[in-house]
Amino acid sequence: MAPALAAIRARLGGEGRLAEGGRFFLVALGGLGIDIGLAWALIALAGVPDAVGAAVGFATATVANYVAHQLWTFREGSRRLSLRRFLAFVAVVGVVFAVRLGALAVLGAVLPGGGLAVPVRLTLAAGVSFLVALPLNRLLVFREPVA
């Protein structure tokens, strides 16, 4: 096995990763509630475009998720809030958000309209972005304690 692949598997595997994955999921689920709820309200009630509502919901949930991940999800590292780690988290969130917007654009073409189509589009796009969020956070953001 290539050394780089072995290093990635070691970071994603190991004892405690299942519990960590569960904590990540719970934080993500709470953040998703903030994200989708706020986005849906902005889109359905205020009439803002999908991308704007999604951006506001996503940004609000990002701050809440960083704090929860730093203090609770990734227990092996520092439990102190860190500007450096927050900025790394924001960079990963940027990638995850780009994935989300791409999925939202595709879903908007497949499931156009308002009403119930809005939360369905937002939830499916969030699901797609979740698939890249955990491995990127584990490998790039919460990989070691920050001084």
Side-chain angles (χ1 to χ4, degrees):
M1 180 180 312
L5 184 56
I8 289 171
R9 289 185 72 182
R11 285 199 178 147
L12 291 177
E15 293 182 27
R17 294 291 193 234
L18 186 58
E20 181 180 90
R23 289 189 305 271
F24 187 90
F25 178 75
L26 289 175
V27 169
L29 193 59
L32 184 61
I34 294 167
D35 182 350
I36 300 298
L38 183 55
W40 187 7
L42 290 171
I43 293 165
L45 301 176
V48 304
D50 282 7
V52 174
V56 172
F58 195 82
T60 303
T62 294
V63 174
N65 282 5
Y66 166 72
V67 171
H69 287 322
Q70 182 66 55
L71 299 178
W72 185 60
T73 302
F74 298 100
R75 293 182 173 183
E76 70 192 32
S78 171
R79 295 236 181 130
R80 292 181 306 123
L81 298 179
S82 157
L83 179 60
R84 182 173 143 218
R85 186 162 280 171
F86 176 72
L87 294 175
F89 183 74
V90 168
V92 166
V93 164
V95 171
V96 172
F97 186 59
V99 168
R100 167 101 47 107
L101 286 181
L104 190 59
V106 169
L107 290 165
V110 174
L111 300 169
L116 289 178
V118 172
V120 170
R121 285 194 312 263
L122 291 168
T123 302
L124 290 174
V128 170
S129 65
F130 180 83
L131 295 176
V132 298
L134 177 58
L136 287 179
N137 276 291
R138 164 56 35 218
L139 294 170
L140 302 175
V141 180
F142 298 100
R143 66 177 185 249
E144 59 190 49
V146 173

